Amino acid sequence: MEKDSFYRRLGTTSKAKPETIEARFHEQIEKYPKQDYPEQHNKIMEAYIVLGQPESRRGYDIIRKYHYNTREIFIAGLRLVFKKDRTYLDYLNACLMLEPLSDGEIESMMQIQIDYKNYLTLAFTVDYASIKSDNDELIISGYQALVDLAIKQGLEDHFIQDYHPRIDHVRAPLKITLVESVLKAYSVGGNSKEGLALMNQYMNKLTLPNNDEAFILIWWFSNLTYFGETKKVLQAFERLKHVLKTLTDDEVLDKVYDELTNMFNEYYTVGEFTYSYYVTELQRTLLPEHQALKESSEDLKVLMLLEQDFARLNQDNQFPVSVKIDVCKHLYKGFPSQVMIERDLILAFGNQHPDHLEHAAGLMALKKKYPRLYKRDQTDWEEAIAFATKNLSRAEKRQLMKRYK
């Protein structure tokens, strides 16, 4: 029998009604004021904090029933989960009130539930681990196993409902895994767009990403490209460029660069030139202060691969000439071939618009956007524009210019 149970401290029993608990508490507080009996007063307050709330009182009763044995309470809770008895929540609460199980015990419990292939019991174990353990690797493996099991058993909606709201509340090292797991569940459930929309909302809250969240940004960028969210791809690209410049941890930088390299190779393989170009630009933001990365970039022969893609880009009339000029500038800056390629682009642009007025309108728009190109070939441009617009008024020329942006 307990010598110092919370019930004894309040002068009552485990069968007492809530109103009795309340009355006994006030009696004991008056009997043992803090200034005269500080130790006794604190014990009374501790007992009332637990017994005065229905949830914590139920947990305390379970603790007493199993003689303060966390492992036994945990196993009993798992049995109730298996039976779909909602009182398992009281057992989880009881476990959280006691000293935590060791990481080894938690891992063993987790593996048993994975083998049993029971989603609810595994969720119980993962939830306990996420609260009571500081072992991020253990919790990450739990999230991954849980979403895989949910998908196999057609419970992805259940997983989304339980774990999407937690993204904002878990520790930074766990966020990327939980975000990936939630989106994986959305994807399998046929709600990929909905999942991505919710992730976009989450990313908008991410104002000053740290090293861990840099990887979340990369993951976000990757998924946006997968769904062809062009405007948001550019937004993610700009944010990544800003964040990558602030990273100082060499180990993190190496991992980020490797991740970007894998993305580049994937985009290149499927012929997604525009995205592979973006990724290369992100890699280049890491180079100035890191000679080792610069040498690695040269070893990858990224430039040679992009030159091949640039040839394909030139043949695709869906890309505006301004995009092609921008890409050329980045790829060939400082190379003798830059001038020749830019002139070829302007010539090809003229061939795409054999109508003199259309060609002149395009040149007038490009003239404003690319003063460097205009200044270099000013005579040729002005002759082409003057020839096409010699019979137009100034107002008509302005109107013409609006036709091609």
Side-chain angles (χ1 to χ4, degrees), residues 27-296:
E27 289 175 5
Q28 294 294 85
I29 284 294
E30 290 180 5
K31 184 177 180 180
Y32 298 100
K34 187 172 184 178
Q35 62 271 25
D36 298 328
Y37 304 94
E39 184 178 352
Q40 188 71 12
H41 181 91
N42 289 339
K43 285 186 175 182
I44 293 168
M45 289 299 300
E46 181 186 17
Y48 180 69
I49 288 171
V50 172
L51 299 183
Q53 298 295 326
E55 295 83 2
S56 55
R57 182 180 177 181
R58 290 196 298 269
Y60 179 67
D61 289 342
I62 292 169
I63 289 171
R64 296 179 72 223
K65 177 181 178 181
Y66 287 91
H67 307 290
Y68 293 79
N69 189 319
T70 306
R71 183 180 175 83
E72 289 299 319
I73 296 171
F74 195 93
I75 292 173
L78 288 175
R79 292 195 188 101
L80 291 171
V81 174
F82 189 77
K83 295 176 182 178
K84 298 184 179 180
D85 184 335
R86 293 292 295 177
T87 58
Y88 78 84
L89 293 171
D90 294 331
Y91 283 73
L92 176 59
N93 188 39
C95 289
L96 298 178
M97 294 168 68
L98 293 171
E99 289 297 313
L101 296 171
S102 69
D103 286 344
E105 289 178 304
I106 295 173
E107 187 173 10
S108 174
M109 292 283 189
M110 197 177 290
Q111 188 56 53
I112 289 172
Q113 308 320 314
I114 293 172
D115 293 342
Y116 280 165
K117 296 181 173 57
N118 187 290
Y119 173 81
L120 290 176
T121 56
L122 180 57
F124 181 96
T125 311
V126 173
D127 289 349
Y128 177 81
S130 66
I131 297 171
K132 298 294 277 188
S133 175
D134 294 326
N135 187 334
D136 291 338
E137 291 185 4
L138 176 63
I139 301 168
I140 285 171
S141 66
Y143 285 146
Q144 292 170 336
L146 188 60
V147 70
D148 287 342
L149 187 56
I151 289 169
K152 285 181 181 178
Q153 297 184 352
L155 297 172
E156 52 273 0
D157 288 342
H158 196 120
F159 180 87
I160 291 167
Q161 182 180 351
D162 286 346
Y163 289 93
H164 184 268
R166 305 186 192 191
I167 291 173
D168 286 332
H169 307 292
V170 297
R171 299 190 297 275
L174 305 178
K175 279 186 181 180
I176 187 167
T177 300
L178 189 53
V179 166
E180 287 176 340
S181 299
V182 170
L183 191 68
K184 187 175 183 179
Y186 271 117
S187 178
V188 173
N191 294 314
S192 302
K193 286 281 188 178
E194 181 181 347
L196 190 60
L198 290 168
M199 292 305 101
N200 287 338
Q201 293 176 14
Y202 165 70
M203 292 308 305
N204 289 335
K205 299 176 185 177
L206 199 61
T207 53
L208 296 172
N210 56 31
N211 283 353
D212 296 308
E213 289 166 334
F215 288 98
I216 300 180
L217 273 171
I218 290 174
W219 165 87
W220 182 47
F221 174 81
S222 175
N223 278 277
L224 287 170
T225 58
Y226 176 79
F227 289 110
E229 297 277 355
T230 306
K231 289 184 179 179
K232 289 193 177 294
V233 166
L234 292 172
Q235 178 189 349
F237 172 71
E238 292 300 329
R239 291 185 71 181
L240 265 172
K241 282 185 73 173
H242 173 74
V243 170
L244 296 185
K245 290 176 183 177
T246 67
L247 298 181
T248 55
D249 187 314
D250 286 340
E251 184 177 349
V252 172
L253 282 164
D254 288 340
K255 289 181 179 178
V256 167
Y257 193 82
D258 289 343
E259 183 71 21
L260 290 171
T261 299
N262 291 335
M263 286 173 62
F264 171 82
N265 290 333
E266 180 180 344
Y267 294 141
Y268 178 75
T269 301
V270 298
E272 292 284 358
F273 168 78
T274 306
Y275 298 145
S276 59
Y277 162 68
Y278 288 147
V279 173
T280 305
E281 284 303 298
L282 292 174
Q283 287 177 311
R284 289 179 179 181
T285 63
L286 299 173
L287 301 185
E289 304 300 326
H290 303 280
Q291 187 60 32
L293 291 181
K294 188 172 184 179
E295 292 169 358
S296 174

